[in-house]
Amino acid sequence: MRQQSPAGRSAARARRPVGVQGGVRPVQSGAVTTRLADIAAQAGVSEATVSRVLNGKPGVAATTRQSVLAALDVLGYERPVRLRQRSEGLVGLITPELENPIFPALAQVIGQALTRQGYTPVLATQTPGGSTEDELTEMLVDRGVAGIIYVSGLHADTTADMQRYERLRAQGVPFVLVDGFSPKVEAPFISPDDRAAMSLAVTHLASLGHTRIGLALGPKRFVPVQRKIEGFVRAVQEQLGLAAQTVETELIQHSLYTLEGGQAAATALIGRDCTAVVCASDMMALGAIRAARQLGLEVPRDISVVGFDDSPLIAFTDPPLTTVRKPVPAMGQAAVRTLLEDIGGTPAPHSEFVFMPELVVRGSTASARGTAPAAEPVRARVTARPGPRTGAGRAP
């Protein structure tokens, strides 16, 4: 799925193949020589087992064989030709961008799941001023892909023309849509429960004594944004007793899904006396922390911040970010499974598979100043719950 630089391709060509019939030709990396014993240690098996796998001998469990092959990959060996998995075809994966780390994380899960099933993933990413979703779709179809997975595409935009997906369906190309929903598109959808995510965040902050909780999120035309607003308004009403109109006019700020967008939105919300801010992405949450610091406030002493996604490395920010974890592994695997069933002749009905997020409490949230937190099962997490929604196809 990744494009290699010329240097990377040269390095890949320089890799030596794994030997057979009882030996391994070592790969030199500085002063370190990787030996057969290292492969066995990496895989957690005996050297004899490694030899049997390399030589294609029977009597090795499938899981053990896969562990040895994975060890070869980790240690930089080419797999012997006989062990290379035959490709069943290409599958396109279209993402809106790769700057937000949640998209590469999801692409990795989907790519690995496709590869395990013998398919070759083709990553197509939109760029500002570059290829559009429609152009990328046309390119993938021209190359004969077996199917396409869309992540946060135009299907999530309520102002977009959904006929593009019906035209794709008419061409006989299976596809799955991740993050977003439209009743106008006859296709399977994979989504996190955005409403539940907001409930988790607001409940946590209310238990810490916060009574002015703001929400920073993207443009309102997107389905995930609308769902987060619904969940946020409902949770604030239930937890703090505020009127819906007050919540919508004073505690919600739209911006962009970027660090700068989060900074702008948080600055506005702090100016309205919010002591806590829930952000619709981790990138926005980092912007909110920057906004607080520029205003001379300390996180979490003066203001608490909650993100959404639990992107890679987000646990190592300063402070470590409390966030609502999007169930990326479950969503990615479900997208692949649903698409491959469609490719295999068993298409999923027009439905939405909704996955429950979980709250991960770290260091960016604390009790509101001058208040004692209410009792809460801190760090309690809700197990991911896949739930196909049929009929209207909407999350609860």
Side-chain angles (χ1 to χ4, degrees), residues 233-301:
V233 171
R234 182 186 307 158
V236 171
Q237 285 181 294
E238 293 175 352
Q239 296 292 328
L240 303 175
L242 297 181
Q245 183 176 1
T246 300
V247 178
E248 293 174 1
T249 57
E250 298 181 14
L251 303 181
I252 296 176
Q253 184 66 41
H254 294 278
S255 188
L256 300 176
Y257 278 112
T258 62
L259 189 148
E260 293 78 13
Q263 180 178 352
T267 298
L269 292 168
I270 293 171
R272 299 173 200 159
D273 299 324
C274 289
T275 62
V277 177
V278 179
C279 297
S281 76
D282 291 336
M283 293 292 287
M284 294 188 78
L286 296 181
I289 293 174
R290 176 194 284 181
R293 287 173 174 166
Q294 288 191 346
L295 293 170
L297 303 175
E298 185 176 329
V299 178
R301 185 192 67 186

Side-chain angles (χ1 to χ4, degrees), residues 15 18 39 42 66-80 83-84 115:
R15 292 192 304 177
V18 179
I39 299 174
Q42 178 71 31
Q66 188 60 39
S67 296
V68 172
L69 296 179
L72 296 178
D73 297 338
V74 168
L75 296 174
Y77 283 116
E78 285 186 55
R79 295 186 183 188
L83 298 179
R84 295 177 191 169
T115 301

Side-chain angles (χ1 to χ4, degrees), residues 94-99 124-133 135-136:
I94 299 180
T95 65
E97 44 113 343
L98 293 177
E99 291 184 3
T125 304
Q126 301 174 65
T127 55
S131 299
T132 64
E133 180 180 306
E135 291 169 340
L136 294 174

Side-chain angles (χ1 to χ4, degrees), residues 86-98:
R86 177 182 176 274
S87 175
E88 297 290 344
L90 305 176
V91 169
L93 171 61
I94 299 180
T95 65
E97 44 113 343
L98 293 177

Side-chain angles (χ1 to χ4, degrees), residues 233-391:
V233 171
R234 182 186 307 158
V236 171
Q237 285 181 294
E238 293 175 352
Q239 296 292 328
L240 303 175
L242 297 181
Q245 183 176 1
T246 300
V247 178
E248 293 174 1
T249 57
E250 298 181 14
L251 303 181
I252 296 176
Q253 184 66 41
H254 294 278
S255 188
L256 300 176
Y257 278 112
T258 62
L259 189 148
E260 293 78 13
Q263 180 178 352
T267 298
L269 292 168
I270 293 171
R272 299 173 200 159
D273 299 324
C274 289
T275 62
V277 177
V278 179
C279 297
S281 76
D282 291 336
M283 293 292 287
M284 294 188 78
L286 296 181
I289 293 174
R290 176 194 284 181
R293 287 173 174 166
Q294 288 191 346
L295 293 170
L297 303 175
E298 185 176 329
V299 178
R301 185 192 67 186
D302 302 309
I303 184 165
S304 290
V305 177
V306 177
F308 179 79
D309 283 337
D310 197 27
S311 308
L313 302 181
I314 210 67
F316 304 101
T317 58
D318 179 25
L321 186 66
T322 294
T323 189
V324 179
R325 177 179 293 161
K326 178 184 287 188
V328 168
M331 289 176 59
Q333 292 162 13
V336 170
R337 184 168 58 250
T338 303
L339 181 68
L340 297 188
E341 287 177 355
D342 196 345
I343 293 173
T346 310
H350 178 216
S351 60
E352 183 175 30
F353 298 88
V354 180
F355 291 81
M356 191 69 179
E358 58 180 327
L359 177 68
V360 183
V361 179
R362 298 192 180 106
S364 65
T365 53
S367 300
R369 300 192 72 173
T371 64
E376 181 206 16
V378 178
R379 299 186 186 275
R381 296 178 177 178
V382 183
T383 304
R385 171 183 55 81
R389 312 291 180 194
T390 58

